Amino acid sequence: MNIQIFGKSKCFDTKKAERYFKERRIKFQSIDLLRYGMSRGEFNSVKNAVGLEAMIDEKARGYDLIKYLAYDSDVEEKLLEDPSLIKTPIVRNGKKATVGFCPDIWKEWD
């Protein structure tokens, strides 16, 4: 397994996801989403796995603006430009990905 966890340092679910993999002694790479963001390739891989809607954090400050963007391409650009609008944690395992705390799905990856 090649696990990547994209998260925010103050996100409780990100910490729970990291703890989940630590407890099972599964190596993972932790990436601070607010500091480093996501590459377009990583973003598209996650989007293909979970869908664009699942990636949007409805609790984020700029969510109101995203609701009014007409095209998915505009939403994608806004999310790449401002990673604080992306819901976390995003856990990637190759082409598979989840958004949020999803231990039931991660168990199947073993």
Side-chain angles (χ1 to χ4, degrees), residues 20-106:
Y20 174 90
F21 289 103
K22 275 182 193 168
E23 287 172 353
R24 286 153 184 79
R25 291 184 172 85
I26 298 170
K27 289 183 181 177
F28 63 89
Q29 178 186 14
S30 185
I31 298 135
D32 185 342
L33 190 62
L34 299 179
R35 187 171 185 189
Y36 299 106
M38 289 179 99
S39 72
R40 186 169 298 281
E42 291 165 335
F43 182 88
N44 287 333
S45 173
V46 174
K47 182 184 77 172
N48 291 338
V50 300
L52 184 60
E53 288 295 315
M55 294 179 70
I56 301 169
D57 186 357
E58 295 97 21
K59 297 175 188 160
R61 282 196 181 147
Y63 175 69
D64 293 339
L65 175 68
I66 285 185
K67 290 190 300 190
Y68 297 109
L69 294 175
Y71 302 105
D72 284 352
S73 59
D74 293 339
V75 173
E76 288 178 30
E77 287 303 316
K78 188 63 181 169
L79 291 176
L80 284 166
E81 180 184 302
D82 185 0
S84 69
L85 298 170
I86 298 175
K87 188 173 182 179
T88 55
I90 291 176
V91 180
R92 287 184 63 210
N93 180 19
K95 293 195 182 293
K96 300 174 189 167
T98 60
V99 177
F101 185 70
C102 308
D104 295 338
I105 296 172
W106 302 333

